């Protein structure tokens, strides 16, 4: 079955960097668009970034544009989120989620998430 | 920029019908509505897509509808296991994903 497993979370200082990974299995990863979505403690869901199946187009929320980069490696079925210049407000559980198609579509399957804490 | 507005909480007794609303201009602009269920400490799960379709494995008691600028998630005969946070989803004026603020459903 479709499975998404995130890793790479942890504690990072303000202004620092962190790279999150999401390993996909159970489907042909290269055919599908992928999202990152986050949830701050006690808050709702916030979409972060999306990458098309072919990696040609990337889309970002205004809150992370210019600081975060989404990428993918189809040879290892891995989605990444490079987080630079992090801020306290980036503290959240980060979920990767699969789109039902290759394009900029909704999320049909989610991983269990990895926790990022920005603190000095 | 569009927003999606949900009531913070809804409470029903087991077996009753729960209705959770989501309002916003995005829903009237031919943009589909979607609903996610998130149980405590778990990842979100898609329960309704493209306004009123159920993914495989989602019980028939879950249904969705849309009228004008409002989408409604209906749980007919709510069960204790349906207690969760529910989020509606659509796209904003820039075509970026947009979530509602979430509704905590209590079934007791």
């Amino acid at each position: 079955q479709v499975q998404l497993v995130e890793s790479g979370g942890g504690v990072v200082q303000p202004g620092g960097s962190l790279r999150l990974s999401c390993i996909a299995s159970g489907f042909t990863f290269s055919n599908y668009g992928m999202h990152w979505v986050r949830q701050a403690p006690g808050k709702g869901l916030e979409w972060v970034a999306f990458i098309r199946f072919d990696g040609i187009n990337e889309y970002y929320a205004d809150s992370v544009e210019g600081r975060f980069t989404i990428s993918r490696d189809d040879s290892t079925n891995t989605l990444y989120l490079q987080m630079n210049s992090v801020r306290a407000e980036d503290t959240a559980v980060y979920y990767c989620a699969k789109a039902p198609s290759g394009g900029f579509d909704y999320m049909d399957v989610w991983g269990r998430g990895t926790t990022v804490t920005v603190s000095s | 920029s569009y927003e999606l507005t949900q009531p913070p909480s809804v409470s029903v007794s087991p077996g009753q019908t729960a209705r959770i609303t989501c309002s916003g201009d995005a829903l009237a602009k031919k943009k589909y509505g979607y609903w996610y269920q998130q149980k405590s400490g778990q990842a979100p799960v898609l329960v309704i897509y493209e306004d009123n379709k159920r993914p495989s494995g989602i019980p028939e008691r879950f249904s969705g509808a849309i009228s004008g600028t409002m989408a409604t998630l209906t749980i007919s005969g709510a069960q204790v296991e349906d207690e969760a946070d529910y989020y509606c989803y659509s796209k904003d004026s820039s075509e970026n994903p947009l979530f509602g603020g979430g509704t905590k459903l209590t079934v007791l």
Side-chain angles (χ1 to χ4, degrees), chain B residues 80-93:
Chain B
V80 172
E81 60 262 31
D82 299 331
E83 193 163 282
D85 293 327
Y86 290 85
Y87 294 90
C88 61
Y89 165 96
S90 188
K91 286 196 170 183
D92 66 16
S93 56

Side-chain angles (χ1 to χ4, degrees), chain A:
Chain A
Q1 74 281 19
V2 174
Q3 193 169 10
L4 301 169
V5 180
E6 302 93 335
S7 62
V11 180
V12 58
Q13 292 188 339
S17 297
L18 203 62
R19 189 176 80 159
L20 307 183
S21 301
C22 169
I23 296 179
S25 60
F27 64 104
T28 305
F29 180 71
S30 59
N31 288 350
Y32 293 90
M34 296 293 296
H35 295 270
W36 286 101
V37 178
R38 69 185 179 184
Q39 187 170 33
K43 302 296 184 182
L45 301 171
E46 180 190 16
W47 172 74
V48 173
F50 174 82
I51 186 166
R52 275 170 47 103
F53 76 103
D54 53 11
I56 290 178
N57 293 105
E58 304 159 22
Y59 304 85
Y60 297 93
D62 290 345
S63 57
V64 307
E65 178 90 55
R67 299 188 300 122
F68 290 10
T69 301
I70 188 172
S71 62
R72 62 190 300 154
D73 182 347
D74 292 347
S75 69
T76 60
N77 291 349
T78 305
L79 177 73
Y80 297 103
L81 185 69
Q82 178 67 42
M83 307 170 60
N84 297 333
S85 303
V86 297
R87 307 165 179 166
E89 55 265 35
D90 295 322
T91 294
V93 175
Y94 285 74
Y95 297 99
C96 72
K98 169 188 165 292
S101 69
F104 197 7
D105 213 337
Y106 62 99
M107 307 95 185
D108 63 351
V109 179
W110 299 59
R112 298 176 65 90
T114 187
T115 300
V116 173
T117 302
V118 181
S119 173
S120 54

Side-chain angles (χ1 to χ4, degrees), chain B residues 3-87:
Chain B
E3 291 183 352
L4 295 174
T5 301
Q6 300 180 233
S9 63
V10 168
S11 182
V12 298
S13 300
Q16 288 189 326
T17 296
R19 293 183 179 86
I20 300 173
T21 59
C22 172
S23 62
D25 289 340
L27 299 170
K29 300 292 184 181
K30 305 298 184 185
K31 299 185 190 304
Y32 285 122
Y34 303 79
W35 291 93
Y36 294 94
Q37 174 195 68
Q38 186 179 34
K39 296 183 178 180
S40 181
Q42 297 184 22
V45 171
L46 180 69
V47 293
I48 294 290
Y49 68 102
E50 294 178 0
D51 294 345
N52 54 19
K53 299 176 183 176
R54 270 181 298 107
S56 62
I58 300 302
E60 290 185 7
R61 63 179 179 272
F62 288 86
S63 63
I66 192 163
S67 178
T69 61
M70 182 171 288
T72 303
L73 173 70
T74 301
I75 307 173
S76 303
Q79 306 296 308
V80 172
E81 60 262 31
D82 299 331
E83 193 163 282
D85 293 327
Y86 290 85
Y87 294 90

